[in-house]
Amino acid sequence: MTLFSSGLMTPISDEKGIPQFLQHGTLVDQANELSLYLQSNKDTDENRDWKLVLLFVQLDQLCACEQQISSLLKRVVEEVDNAVQLLRSQLRRTIVSVALWDGGLNTFQKKMCPCIHTHTDGELRRQRATLTHILQESLSELMVQKHWYRDRDSFTVTLQATPLIKGLSSTGKPLGELGASKLTDELMLQLWRNLFQPMINQHNPGHKRNILTLPWPTKDWPFLRTEFNTPSNRRSNAVYPIQTYSGTKLPCEDLSPSSSIPTSVHELRPADIKVVAALGDSLTAGNGIASSPNNTLDVIRQYRGLSWSIGGDENLTTVTTLPNILKHFNPNVRGYSLGVGSQNSKQAFLNQAVPGAKSKNIPSQVHALVNRMKTDTNINFESDWKLITVFVGGNDLCAYCKNSLQLSVKNYIRFLRESLDYLHTKVPRALVNLVEPIHITPLREVQMDTSLKCPTWLLNTLCPCVVMPKPNSEALKVIETVNRGYQRSLHDLVESGRYDTHSNFTVVIQPFLRDITIPRLPDGRPDRSFFSADCFHLSQKSHTLMARSLWNNMLEPLGAKTLHFHQNFNTTFDLKCSTNAGIGAKSTSMLDLNREYKGVSWSIGGDQTLETVTTLPNILKKFNPNLKGFSKGQGQLQKGFNMAVARAKTSELPAQVQALIKAMKGNKEVNFESDWKVVTIYIGTTDLCNYCLDKNKFSPKNYSNNLMLTLDMLYEKVPRVLVNLVDIMQMDVFKTVKKDTPGCSLQQTSSCHCVFNPADNSPEIEELKRINQNYQTEIKYLISGARYDGKEDFAVVLQPFFHHFFIPQTGAGEVDTSFFSVDCFHMSEKAHAQMAIALWNNMLEPVSRKQAYNFTYDRSKIHCPSEASPFIFTKHNSQTELSVPTAEASTITTNLSSPVLPKYSNPIPVWVPVVVGIVSLLGGIIISWLIMSIVQHDIATRVKNTTKTSVSRRAEFRMCCLYVQLKSGT
């Protein structure tokens, strides 16, 4: 300023330093001393000289304990008002420029504030930044109310648009030895610039970022700025809609738990979860979720009861959170947080997330969480199944440029590994949701749009390393790389198998935040209603979408999880439900795999007709168009009597039978006592897929016992029923199904761990083959006796077409993958059609002559009942069938009254008897020729014997020849 006014005077000089009255006392005291100093200074003319007074409101001495914030702000604003009022009464020709100054936490403040010792550094930084912003807004309100203290032309007050924050450079980068000096220069320039430029839309010179450019007065703008020569127009007229409805409807019908408490984490149903918990940062702690759009101060408040992954306020119809979804499956689930408070509050319960937390803070959160679970009397630590959600990484990215070594990808994953290792070792029966760090750089759009009136400088404080770099800059590219590195490192850790060493614990990555799209208004601008008042934390609208996305990710298989945070934010999307039978039958992509195509299920589907969809009910409908019970379409609405559940085990089969009996009795179209019923049971693949995880539970004996309990229930409670008990297939052959697609490579292992993980010919796979065969033996032994032969209206028949299971091949000798869905494990619609035909044909074959292999006939090979045996074969009527001569029994009529029924074809190909007949004829001729030669030789040597003997020999030969020809079939 001496360049413009050589006679500039200041109470601060190189010789005397800062006067004592400017170093101590309140702002009012300092204002009074300054006024006295200026009035008594003989070198100044009080009435003629213009004076510039810089009034710094120091945050260093303020204590920002949460319960004191309101009173603190009021006290500071009152003090500034009193100081300015005093200056106005004492000075003439004066411009007072008010600025907030934050020099960082000092030793005095740490001793003065009791809350500092109970808050993490991250919490203190956020509280301090928010307090600074609120104080800035409050002082602005004061200036407006006081009309900038301009009751005369010789006095006015201005407010610096942005606080002066020591320790925060303009680039967000850490300060080196020269950094402090450079920062002082930057702050001085910021102060000088604010004296000239408007309070809004200030800009830093961008063409020479490494050169500090000093702005100069111009001919067009030669004077210092005041509110009246350059109005700031700081009041925001933006309107931010508040979401008034954040509830969700749950479409699921099957809300039941497992029939017994699962012993494997891979068998969990939603209703089996009894405890929920969460670890993370402010997005899990719930900062600002319910804050009004203009109440930045309220963002400090932690609305834990509304948090997406752990909140439990109200219910799902009004508040969408993961626990509120789980409450529909298990009303007694525990651990969710309620209301408002810190992680130490009683209502926080197992929400141990801490605002401002980084990855390095997660290990301490884990220890606190485990201690809370162990000491809570309402939690059975050993037996209750727990769902723990871990989400962290945003704050690491926000501060990465300040300490790239400490916040490196290597250290990020080290802290996460330490945390997960502790959970793996200390917490039994736990499923960990490991949510990928959010793709953070798209959030820059919100602060870049000035029309949204976001507190830009506050964002620069909260997340400098993400917000402050220029577009396409090297610094921004580094953040992008580290962001992706954090995400990728989680996959490397989990996919290593480190947490799959026992059956009661696993970690699953939920990647729905891998890529995000900023929600937009109809005019294309970012929709601020998805954000809290600080434009950094998320509002309840976003928490609602995150809860839905997390739930759906949990029900999506590995390799088919949604990777994008919902692209159309203005359109609601449904919650998914646990999938049941028919999974993946018509899927053409991994995203479609979980859809339930019940209408094309081989044994129970009834979509369309036999001409287009081959299923057992569609075959039976040719004989009885009034058939009841088959399932149609997708989902649960038209499931009929299809009680199958995806990934069900034999231990759950009795519960399915109970549900089936209840459904049949409750159906008015079914006469439970008099209608004949066909019930098809196929179970056991899930048992084999989990055998290696619990060999006792999934032993052949337990498999057989569960089947026996099921059949006993049907035998005792269901009249007039034929039970098709389908033999368990050979599971090891699935290892030959290979396809170069993500679905096959990623999904197979998760679909059937114990089959796909062991190497070929390993001891583990050989043991599984033996157990598989024992399953088949146990089924046969179970129904071979007379246990189910005591009633005329009940029969159970083993249908063995899966007994010798093989994978169809193409003409080139490769596996025909068209028989499988996109995950190379579930069956395609083509396979379901072939399975339906094989089952039907088995039903028409006598018990001792059933086809024991699969996938050999096409649709035209459907068999038909014969006139001699028009019934479905059971053990009893098969014995009658066996007493009929073979040639007679094989004569089956091919003409049915229904013209659309496919023509009958003998199960033995037509060319077989022709070839056999020709071979037999040739064999008979050769043998006859040999015999005739021998006989003729004998006659020649004995020609002189009696004629009677010779005739006798010839007669004997003719009879022998005729016998051989009959035996040979000629």
Side-chain angles (χ1 to χ4, degrees):
M1 293 190 71
T2 57
L3 295 175
F4 301 95
S5 177
S6 57
L8 181 71
M9 296 184 62
T10 174
I12 302 174
S13 64
D14 294 336
E15 294 81 12
K16 297 181 180 180
I18 302 175
Q20 286 292 323
F21 68 81
L22 295 180
Q23 298 184 36
H24 303 288
T26 65
L27 288 177
V28 175
D29 293 337
Q30 294 181 28
N32 185 53
E33 293 291 339
L34 177 63
S35 299
L36 294 176
Y37 170 82
L38 293 175
Q39 291 171 356
S40 63
N41 193 318
K42 298 179 181 181
D43 297 326
T44 62
D45 187 331
E46 179 184 357
N47 296 317
R48 184 173 59 87
D49 294 338
W50 277 97
K51 296 165 280 292
L52 174 64
V53 178
L54 301 178
L55 192 157
F56 291 102
V57 182
Q58 290 185 295
L59 296 173
D60 305 40
Q61 304 296 319
L62 303 181
C63 179
C65 291
E66 186 174 343
Q67 64 272 19
Q68 302 171 353
I69 288 179
S70 297
S71 59
L72 170 68
L73 292 174
K74 182 178 180 180
R75 178 172 59 82
V76 173
V77 171
E78 288 178 351
E79 185 177 9
V80 172
D81 181 32
N82 292 333
V84 173
Q85 294 278 20
L86 190 150
L87 291 172
R88 186 179 64 169
S89 66
Q90 299 294 325
L91 302 179
R92 303 289 183 272
R93 292 200 171 193
T94 302
I95 297 177
V96 179
S97 182
V98 180
L100 293 186
W101 167 262
D102 187 352
L105 294 173
N106 55 32
T107 304
F108 174 79
Q109 187 187 29
K110 291 181 178 179
K111 291 181 179 179
M112 184 180 68
C113 289
C115 63
I116 285 182
H117 304 288
T118 61
H119 288 66
T120 65
D121 291 342
E123 286 181 283
L124 291 175
R125 279 194 300 272
R126 294 191 181 284
Q127 283 192 0
R128 194 174 184 80
T130 304
L131 173 63
T132 304
H133 173 73
I134 297 303
L135 186 54
Q136 182 85 13
E137 293 292 315
S138 300
L139 290 174
S140 178
E141 293 287 342
L142 173 67
M143 300 303 163
V144 173
Q145 292 173 8
K146 299 293 184 178
H147 301 285
W148 304 90
Y149 299 89
R150 185 179 178 271
D151 58 351
R152 61 184 186 271
D153 291 337
S154 62
F155 188 92
T156 192
V157 180
T158 64
L159 178 65
Q160 294 269 322
T162 55
L164 303 175
I165 302 175
K166 184 179 180 181
L168 179 64
S169 70
S170 61
T171 61
K173 293 183 179 179
L175 300 174
E177 293 183 3
L178 299 178
S181 176
K182 184 178 179 181
L183 176 61
T184 301
D185 293 340
E186 290 180 349
L187 292 177
M188 182 277 296
L189 287 178
Q190 178 183 336
L191 179 61
W192 172 258
R193 191 178 299 115
N194 285 343
L195 293 174
F196 283 94
Q197 296 179 351
M199 299 174 71
I200 298 298
N201 297 328
Q202 296 187 54
H203 66 276
N204 295 328
H207 60 291
K208 295 181 179 179
R209 292 301 303 165
N210 296 323
I211 300 176
L212 297 178
T213 304
L214 188 67
W216 295 93
T218 65
K219 291 183 180 181
D220 296 330
W221 197 270
F223 37 73
L224 296 177
R225 183 197 62 78
T226 68
E227 183 63 24
F228 291 90
N229 62 30
T230 313
S232 61
N233 191 28
R234 301 185 75 256
R235 302 297 296 167
S236 172
N237 57 3
V239 177
Y240 313 120
I242 302 175
Q243 185 186 33
T244 57
Y245 177 75
S246 56
T248 301
K249 181 179 180 181
L250 186 69
C252 308
E253 293 184 3
D254 186 2
L255 307 178
S256 61
S258 300
S259 56
S260 59
I261 298 177
T263 59
S264 171
V265 69
H266 307 291
E267 304 165 5
L268 278 184
R269 294 185 180 185
D272 296 327
I273 296 171
K274 294 186 177 180
V275 179
V276 290
L279 309 171
D281 53 29
S282 56
L283 290 184
T284 301
N287 284 74
I289 295 178
S291 301
S292 60
N294 295 315
N295 191 356
T296 309
L297 176 61
D298 196 60
V299 177
I300 297 176
R301 194 181 302 273
Q302 300 168 29
Y303 290 93
R304 293 180 179 265
L306 303 177
S307 177
W308 59 291
S309 62
I310 189 63
D313 279 359
E314 301 183 22
N315 55 65
L316 187 59
T317 63
T318 55
V319 177
T320 302
T321 65
L322 180 61
N324 280 354
I325 296 173
L326 288 171
K327 286 179 190 177
H328 276 258
F329 295 86
N330 178 12
N332 298 317
V333 66
R334 298 182 177 278
Y336 51 81
S337 51
L338 295 169
V340 177
S342 72
Q343 71 277 9
N344 298 317
S345 65
K346 184 177 180 180
Q347 285 188 307
F349 205 7
L350 301 185
N351 180 352
Q352 289 302 294
V354 179
K358 300 184 180 72
S359 56
K360 68 177 182 179
N361 305 119
I362 298 301
S364 61
Q365 291 185 28
V366 167
H367 285 266
L369 172 65
V370 173
N371 183 61
R372 281 206 170 196
M373 287 194 292
K374 284 185 174 181
T375 56
D376 191 278
T377 56
N378 294 316
I379 295 176
N380 189 323
F381 186 71
E382 295 298 328
S383 65
D384 286 349
W385 279 103
K386 311 159 194 72
L387 178 65
I388 304 171
T389 301
V390 181
F391 175 56
V392 73
N395 292 315
D396 297 67
L397 293 168
C398 285
Y400 179 81
C401 61
K402 293 186 176 183
N403 195 335
S404 59
L405 180 60
Q406 185 184 68
L407 301 173
S408 65
V409 174
K410 181 179 180 181
N411 280 334
Y412 172 81
I413 201 62
R414 177 169 66 86
F415 291 123
L416 267 296
R417 181 172 58 246
E418 178 185 340
S419 304
L420 294 173
D421 285 353
Y422 188 83
L423 290 173
H424 185 223
T425 304
K426 301 294 184 179
V427 183
R429 295 196 170 183
L431 169 64
V432 177
N433 279 328
L434 186 58
V435 180
E436 283 188 7
I438 190 173
H439 183 210
I440 200 168
T441 53
L443 300 180
R444 288 163 44 92
E445 281 191 60
V446 181
Q447 65 90 28
M448 292 173 66
D449 192 327
T450 58
S451 69
L452 299 179
K453 309 295 184 181
C454 286
T456 303
W457 71 264
L458 176 59
L459 293 174
N460 291 345
T461 304
L462 294 175
C463 198
C465 301
V466 174
V467 173
M468 298 183 74
K470 294 295 180 180
N472 302 317
S473 65
E474 191 62 32
L476 189 59
K477 292 178 181 177
V478 169
I479 290 297
E480 278 279 357
T481 301
V482 175
N483 198 164
R484 296 306 189 188
Y486 284 178
Q487 293 174 341
R488 186 169 54 255
S489 65
L490 293 182
H491 284 267
D492 293 340
L493 174 63
V494 173
E495 291 169 8
S496 68
R498 187 182 186 93
Y499 305 111
D500 294 324
T501 58
H502 49 77
S503 62
N504 70 353
F505 185 95
T506 196
V507 179
V508 180
I509 293 179
Q510 310 299 359
F512 67 94
L513 291 174
R514 181 178 301 176
D515 293 296
I516 67 171
T517 298
I518 294 296
R520 299 189 180 279
L521 297 168
D523 60 8
R525 293 183 302 143
D527 188 348
R528 189 176 166 180
S529 68
F530 283 88
F531 297 87
S532 192
D534 62 356
C535 294
F536 181 75
H537 292 91
L538 301 178
S539 69
Q540 191 170 1
K541 287 178 71 173
S542 289
H543 277 259
T544 295
L545 294 183
M546 290 175 67
R548 293 172 182 165
S549 298
L550 174 60
W551 171 260
N552 287 350
N553 255 185
M554 291 169 57
L555 296 186
E556 293 167 341
L558 297 179
K561 292 182 180 291
T562 302
L563 307 177
H564 197 292
F565 191 43
H566 209 258
Q567 299 183 33
N568 188 352
F569 288 86
N570 295 320
T571 302
T572 59
F573 57 100
D574 293 333
L575 296 178
K576 295 186 176 181
C577 301
S578 299
T579 57
N580 291 329
I583 182 171
K586 299 176 71 173
S587 299
T588 57
S589 69
M590 289 301 294
L591 296 177
D592 198 34
L593 180 62
N594 268 2
R595 190 165 296 173
E596 305 170 28
Y597 295 98
K598 292 180 176 291
V600 298
S601 178
W602 59 291
S603 62
I604 189 63
D607 275 358
Q608 302 179 31
T609 64
L610 183 61
E611 285 72 26
T612 55
V613 178
T614 304
T615 64
L616 179 62
N618 280 354
I619 296 174
L620 289 170
K621 281 192 283 186
K622 293 295 181 180
F623 298 88
N624 179 12
N626 297 319
L627 188 73
K628 307 293 182 183
F630 51 82
S631 52
K632 298 182 68 176
Q634 303 173 20
Q636 300 287 325
L637 295 179
Q638 301 182 77
K639 70 177 183 179
F641 296 148
N642 182 352
M643 300 298 155
V645 177
R647 294 176 288 276
K649 301 171 290 296
T650 51
S651 58
E652 302 166 27
L653 207 54
Q656 291 187 26
V657 170
Q658 290 177 340
L660 173 63
I661 295 173
K662 181 178 179 181
M664 287 193 293
K665 286 184 175 180
N667 192 310
K668 296 180 180 179
E669 296 182 343
V670 174
N671 189 320
F672 185 73
E673 296 297 330
S674 63
D675 287 347
W676 278 99
K677 312 158 194 76
V678 174
V679 177
T680 301
I681 298 176
Y682 177 70
I683 195 79
T685 56
T686 303
D687 297 64
L688 288 171
C689 286
N690 289 277
Y691 173 76
C692 63
L693 303 176
D694 193 335
K695 295 182 179 181
N696 180 58
K697 178 178 179 179
F698 301 113
S699 67
K701 287 296 182 183
N702 281 338
Y703 174 75
S704 175
N705 185 64
N706 290 323
L707 278 177
M708 182 180 67
L709 294 175
T710 301
L711 294 175
D712 285 355
M713 192 181 303
L714 289 170
Y715 182 77
E716 295 168 1
K717 297 184 178 181
V718 183
R720 296 196 172 187
V721 62
L722 170 67
V723 179
N724 284 325
L725 184 57
V726 180
D727 211 351
I728 180 71
M729 66 175 64
Q730 294 169 301
M731 296 295 295
D732 61 289
V733 297
F734 277 91
K735 293 175 71 68
T736 64
V737 183
K738 304 292 182 183
K739 195 174 182 180
D740 189 19
T741 63
C744 277
S745 58
L746 296 176
Q747 186 62 26
Q748 271 189 330
T749 301
S750 62
S751 296
C752 196
H753 176 85
C754 298
V755 171
F756 292 105
N757 275 10
D760 293 339
N761 301 319
S762 64
E764 291 82 4
I765 201 66
E766 293 301 319
E767 180 184 14
L768 189 72
K769 290 180 183 179
R770 178 177 58 81
I771 296 300
N772 202 154
Q773 293 171 355
N774 289 346
Y775 274 24
Q776 294 177 334
T777 302
E778 289 291 341
I779 293 177
K780 188 174 182 180
Y781 179 78
L782 174 63
I783 65 173
S784 61
R787 186 180 185 91
Y788 304 110
D789 292 345
K791 296 170 62 177
E792 283 293 323
D793 67 345
F794 183 92
V796 55
V797 182
L798 179 64
Q799 311 297 2
F801 66 91
F802 268 145
H803 188 83
H804 298 297
F805 181 72
F806 70 92
I807 304 295
Q809 295 184 339
T810 62
E814 299 178 349
V815 170
D816 187 352
T817 56
S818 67
F819 279 83
F820 298 90
S821 191
V822 291
D823 63 348
C824 294
F825 181 71
H826 291 96
M827 298 294 186
S828 69
E829 186 178 8
K830 179 179 179 179
H832 275 260
Q834 297 296 318
M835 291 161 61
I837 295 171
L839 173 60
W840 169 255
N841 290 348
N842 261 182
M843 292 168 64
L844 298 185
E845 294 165 345
V847 168
S848 62
R849 299 207 302 269
K850 290 183 181 291
Q851 175 181 293
Y853 44 89
N854 61 294
F855 298 148
T856 57
Y857 297 114
D858 58 26
R859 185 175 295 175
S860 65
K861 299 298 183 179
I862 297 176
H863 294 180
C864 297
S866 67
E867 292 183 356
S869 302
F871 37 71
I872 296 172
F873 279 97
T874 64
K875 181 169 65 174
H876 178 74
N877 62 28
S878 292
Q879 295 173 353
T880 305
E881 173 71 12
L882 292 177
S883 64
V884 180
T886 303
E888 213 174 301
S890 64
T891 304
I892 304 177
T893 179
T894 59
N895 296 318
L896 293 178
S897 59
S898 176
V900 295
L901 189 65
K903 293 183 178 180
Y904 159 77
S905 177
N906 193 290
I908 302 177
V910 175
W911 55 267
V912 172
V914 177
V915 173
V916 173
I918 294 174
V919 172
S920 299
L921 177 62
L922 293 175
I925 293 173
I926 293 172
I927 294 173
S928 299
W929 178 78
L930 290 174
I931 295 174
M932 289 177 65
S933 299
I934 295 172
V935 172
Q936 289 175 354
H937 177 73
D938 182 73
I939 292 173
T941 55
R942 302 182 183 184
V943 67
K944 293 183 179 180
N945 290 343
T946 63
T947 301
K948 182 178 180 179
T949 302
S950 178
V951 173
S952 176
R953 291 287 186 183
R954 289 171 183 169
E956 182 179 287
F957 161 74
R958 286 194 297 269
M959 292 176 65
C960 179
C961 182
L962 179 61
Y963 173 78
V964 170
Q965 289 177 4
L966 287 175
K967 291 291 288 183
S968 301
T970 58

